[in-house]
Amino acid sequence: MLFEELQPDLQQWLRSVVNQGYKTEAIVDSLRKAGYESSVSSAVQEDITALRDAREKVAVPSRNPSPWDSGVKTTSDREVQVLMTAQKPNLVLFGNLLSGEECDELIALSQPRLKRSKVVNSQSGQSGQHAMRTSSGAVFRFGEFPLVKRIEQRISELVDIPVSRGEGLQVLNYAPGAEYKPHHDYFDPQYPGSKKYLQRGGQRCATLIIYLNDVEAGGSTVFPSTGVNVYPRKGYGLFFSYADEQGGLDPLSLHGGSPVIAGEKWVATKWMRLRDYVDEKTGA
């Protein structure tokens, strides 16, 4: 059975457990216990081997000395705290990235345009709703509102990536039970569906998640390959990078949004590219 023939959520799960180092026998046993037919469980053994081989061949992005050593990063309009750094995966947790008022205003701006979030089909390149991602989202054009423009500039100064390389700021709302199962934000060049996205600014190289509210329970950002687990706190931001100019991609950037148990979760997400981003709708 070809890996591409599996359901997307099963593909993601297989990537996750392979990256975590689980043995083939344990993975197959878990599939059988989960109710998969023996023929499926046995057939995916070749897929598991292929994933493990691919993981070993991946060129992990080079690690430069951390620019976050001072503990505080000053932009033109704000002092942002550097609360935590890690290199596997390469991530930084910021405090005081947005004020409480900015968080509230961004939520208010997004509410009238919320729609069910979509995921990209790695084979066709088409996007659509899927059970692995059950949030609602709203996307803003570059500088669409003064607040959006200010946040985009602040992000650019903070992570030293030009505004022109960022995709439109996206606000996501997770109701109780909503989640985003583990996934990579980069476009895997092995799959044909990635081609059209890579043409619009090259590979995604980094992600910034900004937490817009405190969540009563659940809703953490989890990196299952490394055990990193970040709980939402209003105004905080989680930045992680995973691609470089040489084509290196970091599989340890596998991450997900755990289910919201109580209350709701609001985040703003900014994806960044290696080159200037071209919006599919506006062409700019």
Side-chain angles (χ1 to χ4, degrees), residues 18-258:
V18 168
N19 285 337
Q20 292 179 70
Y22 284 94
K23 294 182 178 180
T24 301
E25 295 79 8
I27 297 173
V28 172
D29 185 56
S30 295
L31 287 171
R32 288 172 177 158
K33 289 180 179 178
Y36 285 93
E37 296 180 2
S38 298
S39 58
V40 174
S41 301
S42 300
V44 298
Q45 291 188 53
E46 292 184 7
D47 298 323
I48 294 169
T49 300
L51 284 172
R52 187 170 284 118
D53 290 343
R55 179 193 177 207
E56 293 174 354
K57 294 177 182 178
V58 166
V60 176
S62 57
R63 308 295 190 189
N64 295 320
S66 174
W68 318 111
D69 294 337
S70 66
V72 176
K73 183 81 170 180
T74 302
T75 68
S76 58
D77 70 341
R78 196 166 188 82
E79 282 194 350
V80 179
Q81 301 166 334
V82 179
L83 302 176
M84 180 189 76
T85 64
Q87 288 197 336
K88 294 183 179 181
N90 191 30
L91 62 81
V92 185
L93 179 64
F94 297 113
N96 196 42
L97 178 53
L98 265 63
S99 69
E101 293 77 12
E102 288 174 326
C103 292
D104 295 342
E105 183 180 349
L106 196 54
I107 290 174
L109 288 172
S110 70
Q111 285 175 323
R113 58 173 75 179
L114 288 175
K115 295 181 180 179
R116 174 69 184 272
S117 300
K118 298 179 180 181
V119 296
V120 175
N121 184 297
S122 61
Q123 295 301 311
S124 67
Q126 300 299 311
S127 60
Q129 297 178 9
H130 194 278
M132 72 174 293
R133 190 184 192 192
T134 50
S135 60
S136 297
V139 181
F140 296 96
R141 299 187 303 275
F142 292 123
E144 184 175 354
F145 295 96
L147 173 63
V148 172
K149 185 175 182 178
R150 185 166 73 246
I151 292 173
E152 289 172 337
Q153 182 60 37
R154 187 181 303 162
I155 292 172
S156 175
E157 295 176 19
L158 185 64
V159 302
D160 196 27
I161 296 176
V163 172
S164 59
R165 294 188 184 180
E167 298 181 32
L169 189 67
Q170 182 178 83
V171 174
L172 300 169
N173 174 238
Y174 293 80
E179 65 178 324
Y180 196 174
K181 293 182 179 179
H183 60 283
H184 291 106
D185 282 349
Y186 56 74
F187 301 107
D188 193 329
Q190 298 181 72
Y191 297 123
S194 298
K195 183 177 180 180
K196 76 172 187 177
Y197 294 95
L198 293 171
Q199 291 173 340
R200 292 161 43 197
Q203 184 62 268
R204 280 180 180 166
C205 61
T207 298
L208 177 65
I209 300 172
I210 306 173
Y211 303 104
L212 303 179
N213 74 318
D214 296 323
V215 182
E216 290 182 42
S220 63
T221 302
V222 59
F223 292 79
S225 300
T226 62
V228 174
N229 201 16
V230 179
Y231 290 90
R233 185 166 179 179
K234 190 173 184 176
Y236 279 28
L238 178 64
F239 173 79
F240 51 101
S241 57
Y242 37 77
D244 61 23
E245 293 285 356
Q246 289 70 47
L249 299 172
D250 189 352
L252 295 180
S253 65
L254 181 79
H255 66 286
S258 60

